[in-house]
Amino acid sequence: MAAKAASPQGETGTISKETVQEPPMYRVLLHNDDYTTMEFVIMILERVFDKDIEEATRIMLNVHHEGVGLAGQYTKEIAETKVITVHRLAKKSQFPLRCSLERDT
C-alpha cells in the first residue's frame, strides 16, 4: 500500500513501503561467570530489561545452565545502552557480569 506525501513545494508524491526499512535488531546476551549471584542477575533483568520475576528467573537459569542467555532484542543504540548499563551496575556491585550484543539474523 502506498501513501501520498506532500513535498516542500506542495507537490504530492508516492511513498511505497518498500522504501522504508526497519532498523536491524541486536540481541543482548548475558554471560555466565562463577561469581555473580543469581539474585543480582535477576535484579538486572528486572531493572534494565523490564522482565517480570518469572521471565527473569527463567533467563537467569538459562544463563546459569547454558552459559549464555538472551536478555532481549533491541535496535543497536538501545542494545548498546543496555550493555553499558549492565556493565556499570555490575562494576558498582563488584560483580564480573558480562553482557554483549550481536546482530540478529
Side-chain angles (χ1 to χ4, degrees), residues 5 16 19 23 28 43-44 46 48 51 53 62 64 67 73 75 80 83 88 92 105:
S16 69
T19 61
V28 178
M43 184 275 299
I44 288 291
E46 289 176 320
V48 177
K51 305 296 183 188
I53 187 69
N62 199 47
H64 181 69
Q73 293 177 284
T75 60
E80 288 172 336
V83 169
R88 284 185 182 156
K92 182 178 178 183
T105 53

Side-chain angles (χ1 to χ4, degrees), residues 34-80:
D34 293 332
Y35 302 101
T36 305
T37 65
M38 293 178 178
E39 293 80 12
F40 184 78
V41 174
I42 290 172
M43 184 275 299
I44 288 291
L45 288 162
E46 289 176 320
R47 283 182 50 192
V48 177
F49 298 97
D50 198 32
K51 305 296 183 188
D52 62 37
I53 187 69
E54 292 83 17
E55 188 172 8
T57 301
R58 182 187 58 74
I59 294 168
M60 176 277 299
L61 288 171
N62 199 47
V63 171
H64 181 69
H65 293 296
E66 302 297 325
V68 67
L70 176 64
Q73 293 177 284
Y74 308 94
T75 60
K76 185 175 184 181
E77 292 78 14
I78 293 172
E80 288 172 336

Side-chain angles (χ1 to χ4, degrees), residues 1-21:
M1 176 173 217
K4 293 198 179 216
S7 70
Q9 295 80 19
E11 300 169 0
T12 58
T14 303
I15 301 173
S16 69
K17 284 193 174 188
E18 289 75 31
T19 61
V20 179
Q21 290 184 348

